[in-house]
Amino acid sequence: MSENRDPFNPAVPAGAYDDLLARVLPQARRQRPWEEADGPLPALFVSHGAPPTLDDPRWLDDLFTWAQSMPKPRAVVVVSAHWEDAPLALSSSAPGTPLYYDFGGFHPRYYTLKYPTPDASALARRMTATLSRTTVHHTGRGLDHGAFIPLMAMYPAADVPVVQLSMPSLDPRLLFALGQQLRSLREEGVLVIGSGFMTHSFAAMRSPNAAAHTRAFDEWAADALGRGDVDAMADYRTKAPGAAVSHPTADHFVPLLLTLGAATTPDRPATTAIDGTRYGNSIRSIQVT
């Protein structure tokens, strides 16, 4: 994929998203819903961007096409890089859950975007019953951009109930274990999504030298995922080249371990659904079964 050269100064803020809606909304509404005969839905790891994703027509199309390749889920559980809270916490599950605009410095239009999802109270109750530890329901906490930005492209009709779950820790193995607890939801037509970024380096946005580190990290990750090497992914800090530059903090990588934990067979090779580079970083996104 080619780079988007001017992501922070679009001629029409979120104009590519407006174009996507005009083209695909009827198709999105007609998407066949999941049925029990379909079997478990996959678990996904999505590399999400901030508002510039909504100005990138190729990225938006790839996200929409990916979602269309599977039945429409009965509900979505998303764990985002942008919410760490312990004990486990659930976002608001009320219809029309507000968005949490957890970004700064962008055009005012991005702070008026809406994504009015349906009532997700049944999903919140199911998750509380599924998780073996105490959960706190933050009824005033909306969906952050790690949740709503990719979902606006994947399910633009906003007709799928969504609940966001916090990360109780940034420990990769604890996130893997949390994914294991969510695994059974896939058999009920619930789509489990870990939302982060395959590499998340502001240095790579500014320097070609730093971008060489993110390329090396992405190549390593693609190989490890292709071999189903969960142990390597969990120990990425010591095993991956360029890890310190690609992930100065763990928050955007460890949602991937949640996704792997939610897989029926975590050591099977993952499928890359989206790859490419934006702003010097890998947007590799994967699915596992």
Side-chain angles (χ1 to χ4, degrees):
M1 287 181 195
S2 62
E3 292 270 2
N4 183 345
R5 296 298 181 185
D6 194 12
F8 299 103
N9 188 29
V12 179
Y17 182 68
D18 293 337
D19 293 342
L20 179 80
L21 287 181
R23 288 188 289 108
V24 307
L25 200 51
Q27 180 182 351
R29 289 172 173 152
R30 293 193 304 267
Q31 184 176 4
R32 182 179 70 81
W34 177 88
E35 299 174 349
E36 190 174 355
D38 292 315
L41 285 170
L44 313 183
F45 172 76
V46 179
S47 288
H48 71 260
T53 305
L54 303 178
D55 302 305
D56 187 325
R58 180 66 182 275
W59 200 349
L60 292 173
D61 281 346
D62 285 346
L63 286 165
F64 178 73
T65 300
W66 187 13
Q68 289 288 305
S69 72
M70 62 192 87
K72 182 184 292 185
R74 293 178 57 229
V76 171
V77 174
V78 58
V79 174
S80 160
H82 298 281
W83 192 17
E84 183 184 358
D85 196 0
L88 281 171
L90 299 177
S91 67
S92 171
S93 57
T97 293
L99 303 184
Y100 177 32
Y101 305 106
D102 56 332
F103 44 77
F106 292 96
H107 188 279
R109 191 200 171 187
Y110 299 110
Y111 304 91
T112 66
L113 296 169
K114 305 298 180 186
Y115 190 64
T117 50
D119 177 64
S121 56
L123 174 62
R125 289 192 297 270
R126 181 71 181 88
M127 290 176 64
T128 299
T130 297
L131 297 169
S132 61
R133 63 187 96 177
T134 302
T135 58
V136 178
H137 199 174
H138 287 304
T139 56
R141 212 276 185 183
L143 302 175
D144 66 42
H145 81 266
F148 75 78
I149 291 286
L151 290 175
M152 286 173 72
M154 296 175 77
Y155 301 105
D159 55 358
V160 179
V162 179
V163 166
Q164 188 169 342
L165 177 66
S166 72
M167 293 189 293
S169 167
L170 297 181
D171 182 305
R173 297 193 184 278
L174 290 180
L175 267 294
F176 182 86
L178 179 58
Q180 289 178 307
Q181 290 184 272
L182 300 176
R183 184 182 297 169
S184 63
L185 296 177
R186 297 174 40 232
E187 300 172 2
E188 302 169 25
V190 176
L191 187 64
V192 177
I193 299 178
S195 180
F197 225 118
M198 189 56 72
T199 67
H200 189 251
S201 170
F202 290 105
M205 295 176 67
R206 300 186 293 265
S207 167
N209 292 332
H213 291 281
T214 60
R215 286 194 297 273
F217 185 97
D218 177 58
E219 290 170 2
W220 172 86
D223 176 70
L225 288 165
R227 292 183 286 104
D229 193 340
V230 175
D231 288 337
M233 302 304 288
D235 196 21
Y236 75 100
R237 281 288 182 203
T238 59
K239 293 186 175 178
V245 174
S246 300
H247 288 286
T249 59
D251 48 4
H252 278 74
F253 185 76
V254 293
L256 174 58
L257 273 297
L258 175 122
T259 298
L260 296 177
T264 304
T265 311
D267 58 358
R268 288 184 59 186
T271 299
T272 292
I274 299 174
D275 68 4
T277 304
R278 294 294 187 279
Y279 333 126
N281 284 287
S282 168
I283 64 167
R284 186 178 302 278
S285 298
I286 63 111
Q287 73 179 52
V288 292
T289 56

